[in-house]
Amino acid sequence: MIQSRSTPAARYGVAFAAALMALTGCSPGASGTRGASAGATSASAPSPAPLAWSSCGKNLECATIEVPQEYTEPEGAQIPLAVMRHRATDPDQRIGSLLFNPGGPGVSATETLRNLPKTAGTPGAFSAEVLARFDVVAMDPRGVGQSRAVRCLTDKQRADAAGTAFDPAVPGGKPLPRLLADAAAFTDGCAEHQSKKFLAGLSTDNVARDIDQVRSALGEDKITYYGLSYGTVVGPMYATLFPHRVRQMVLDAPVDTDKWFGNPLPFLNDVAVASERTLNAWFETCRAEGAAVCPFGAGDPQAAFDTLIDTLEAKPLRIAPVEGVTPGGELDGAMALEATRALAGDQHTWPLLTSALLAAQDGNGAPLYTLWSSVTVSPFPVPTAMFEAHTAVRCADWQTPAGIAAHKAAATKVVTEAKRIGPRAAYSALNCARWPAPNKDRVPKPLTGAGTPPALVVAGRLDPVTPHHWAENMTRTLDSAVLLTREGVGHGSYGTNACVDKAVDAALIHGTHPADGTVCKTDTPATTRPLVPANG
């Protein structure tokens, strides 16, 4: 993912509630072309029929659109894509359709749209003003969600993978021979359960072409676009292939598209280092606030954390089952590290992280275990339902070295540069190194979006997944773009910061932008003070 997104408290939902209960002792009561270049001429897909909408929720409508599996064969195999829209709440002031991609790759856009009313205050949550003026349209990209989601593993294989212990001190979590065997099993499963032509067609350029089919079926001359994380790869691709179809574009938590479509090993190294920086920011803030505010580690949180991870790895904590929340199990060091990585990546969840670490230190692993089980999006491979789609899209886009020597060198580098997160990130491109369905007709970079209105690029100063220098690179790569920076720690800014919200709404609705280089301060200072226990 990338997406690979570390989520604030509201998005964890039930997991956060369960963790709090465990902490306090309470009971849980027109189409594009495909060829050697963006402007190359090839067969074009026929214009799609208007979408046949049906009601599927409050103010929601759902439809399915058939698109070519390969745009070089427009009359060949077709792929059904799920589409959902939230109708503008003020039809008289409606501007048009706003398409969005919430990231991943592998995150379902339709599910995200359905849950938006429940996730106010989280990245990508559209304001009431935007919802009033636009039909917000979500398309599950090919291979994702309800659009023929990629499946490479059987349910048993997935369960076995989820139950496999990782060693946080070993690059990749396992000895290299086992990692290679896992990669072979995964890629063989992909080749067995999916057609190679389908897998090869999961590339971002095809997703952009699919978006234009949706645009045409909506009857829109132009669309407005908002992308988060991996969605900032989709947006520039669409703007480069279809510049005359873009009304406005906002790119939040941007990916460096030059790196995305190149060798993924430096790309993944950047992600690990970014994640390590946010963990270090938690350590530094805890130490600076002092033991009276942040009691974990009594002034030396790094040493206390390393000791806790080693202790849990040597002797995992048993977790009792809680009906409707968790089947129970064990919390080991690798799981605690993964939960910490996610929680440290957003300053809004730092108090919960402090509380969960203190509980684990006292022998109560339920909060960290519950939070670990809710972490379904990661920049590195984790055995979740989204993992297969996430990997398939990355492998279709990336130019991954096939030789193991390059992966060994990259593992050595990332472990050196990111002491705690680096081992988890090492060897995370092995599946793509032996991917059975190479994409042989990539759109050449760079993705400049030449001919589109200026894009608003929004970046967090300390982002655990997409480091700030990626936003700077994207702003330089795009033909016309304005960079807005949010101070603080977190992945994704729109919906989490009043200053950013105002700027993004102005860009989407009015097409106006702040001055390039504008900085938004964090709304509330970050603190590691643990949560005040509720009355149980």
Side-chain angles (χ1 to χ4, degrees), residues 109-471:
T110 59
E111 182 181 354
T112 302
L113 180 58
R114 183 180 295 280
N115 290 326
L116 276 181
K118 306 173 187 176
T119 54
T122 62
F126 297 105
S127 69
E129 291 77 13
V130 168
L131 293 175
R133 304 294 300 276
F134 291 96
D135 290 342
V136 177
V137 180
M139 178 196 79
D140 280 353
R142 50 178 63 204
V144 173
Q146 300 302 309
S147 297
R148 281 185 57 183
V150 173
R151 291 293 297 268
C152 298
L153 303 174
T154 65
D155 289 341
K156 183 180 184 305
Q157 285 175 316
R158 189 176 292 104
D160 289 345
T164 299
F166 292 90
D167 186 338
V170 174
K174 304 177 185 179
L176 182 55
R178 288 186 59 192
L179 293 174
L180 292 169
D182 288 348
F186 181 85
T187 52
D188 289 349
C190 291
E192 178 181 353
H193 296 293
Q194 311 282 176
S195 81
K196 292 184 179 180
K197 289 192 71 172
F198 174 70
L199 291 175
L202 298 179
S203 56
T204 300
D205 53 307
N206 274 338
V207 175
R209 293 182 176 90
D210 296 341
I211 287 176
D212 205 58
Q213 288 287 288
V214 171
R215 177 205 58 76
S216 179
L218 289 169
E220 300 280 18
D221 183 58
K222 295 185 177 184
I223 61 169
T224 303
Y225 180 86
Y226 169 85
L228 175 67
S229 198
Y230 166 74
T232 69
V233 181
V234 177
M237 179 66 79
Y238 184 79
T240 299
L241 294 178
F242 305 99
H244 57 298
R245 298 301 188 184
V246 177
R247 175 187 165 273
Q248 297 293 330
M249 185 168 64
V250 173
L251 304 170
D252 190 356
V255 175
D256 184 338
T257 53
D258 287 349
K259 284 196 171 186
W260 175 264
F261 290 104
N263 180 343
L265 301 181
F267 173 91
L268 291 169
N269 189 88
D270 275 7
V271 176
V273 170
S275 190
E276 187 88 2
R277 285 175 179 159
T278 61
L279 178 56
N280 287 339
W282 181 85
F283 288 139
E284 292 161 7
T285 305
C286 179
R287 185 185 303 106
E289 289 187 309
V293 173
C294 181
F296 181 76
D300 192 354
Q302 287 170 297
F305 179 76
D306 292 340
T307 297
L308 178 62
I309 297 300
D310 291 344
T311 301
L312 291 173
E313 191 62 20
K315 188 178 181 180
L317 290 173
R318 291 290 304 168
I319 309 300
V322 178
E323 186 175 354
V325 177
T326 175
E330 287 188 339
L331 175 75
D332 64 16
M335 296 159 68
L337 177 61
E338 181 66 10
T340 298
R341 179 202 63 77
L343 293 169
D346 192 295
Q347 65 190 49
H348 296 93
T349 59
W350 282 4
L352 183 56
L353 173 58
T354 307
S355 301
L357 291 174
L358 287 167
Q361 206 172 43
D362 289 340
N364 177 9
L368 273 180
Y369 181 85
T370 305
L371 293 162
W372 168 82
S373 67
S374 75
V375 178
T376 58
V377 180
S378 171
F380 317 117
V382 288
T384 65
M386 197 198 82
F387 172 41
E388 289 140 281
H390 181 74
T391 300
V393 175
R394 299 197 310 181
C395 295
D397 280 353
W398 288 356
Q399 299 183 55
T400 310
I404 191 61
H407 295 262
K408 286 182 177 179
T412 299
K413 178 178 172 63
V414 75
V415 169
T416 300
E417 296 185 7
K419 174 184 174 183
R420 295 173 180 85
I421 306 301
R424 189 71 185 90
Y427 295 112
S428 54
L430 284 182
N431 289 331
C432 294
R434 53 165 293 133
W435 193 241
N439 176 15
K440 298 180 180 178
D441 52 358
R442 304 172 185 275
V443 169
K445 56 184 183 183
L447 301 183
T448 65
T452 64
L456 178 61
V457 177
V458 186
R461 183 72 70 189
L462 275 178
D463 188 305
V465 182
T466 55
H468 191 270
H469 69 268
W470 284 5

Side-chain angles (χ1 to χ4, degrees), residues 22-45:
L23 277 169
T24 60
C26 297
S27 300
S31 62
T33 60
R34 185 175 180 83
S37 69
T41 302
S42 67
S44 60

